[in-house]
Amino acid sequence: MGFHHLGVATEDLEATAALYREAFGLEQVHAETLEAVRVAFLDLGDGYVELLEPVEPDGPVATFLREQGAGIHHVALETTDVRAAIDRARAAGVTPIDEEPRDGAWGHQVAFVHPSDTGGVLLEFVQH
Ligand code: CO
């Protein structure tokens, strides 16, 4: 298990991507629109920043922005086997939000674990 990306919620994906490029030199390497969010991945060299802009007003990222404002939304840990990561978490008494790996952005297999089970951090397991 290693660091894969930091998920950052934003009201304006283009503006945030431009800021990160100009101020921090981070280049966008992938962009995609999913069901409820637009995402863009910025390259950190040994990981990514994933910008998330809601397209669905009642989706989880829109709700997050309303309740907490823009900022860190989740941390993604890379694994070679999302199913094994889910099984291990479950064996330790943690109930994942996703009982099964599902399709995420960029062709990833992903599963999320709720902050109430992780000391306050929304965790994503990701298989790149
Ligand atoms: Co993510």
Side-chain angles (χ1 to χ4, degrees), residues 5 50 74 76 112 124:
H5 67 261
E50 178 189 34
H74 66 271
F112 282 85
E124 176 184 5

Side-chain angles (χ1 to χ4, degrees), residues 26-90:
L26 303 185
E27 293 298 331
Q28 184 171 310
V29 288
H30 183 76
E32 187 174 342
T33 301
L34 302 172
E35 224 167 274
V37 286
R38 297 169 65 215
V39 303
F41 283 85
L42 313 179
D43 194 0
L44 289 170
D46 56 357
Y48 304 92
V49 173
E50 178 189 34
L51 300 178
L52 305 149
E53 179 194 304
V55 292
E56 165 59 57
D58 295 322
V61 176
T63 303
F64 178 91
L65 282 169
R66 263 198 309 279
E67 292 176 354
Q68 307 197 33
I72 295 173
H73 177 263
H74 66 271
V75 174
L77 301 178
E78 184 161 27
T79 171
T80 54
D81 189 339
V82 172
R83 186 176 301 277
I86 293 170
D87 289 345
R88 181 187 175 134
R90 198 184 285 119

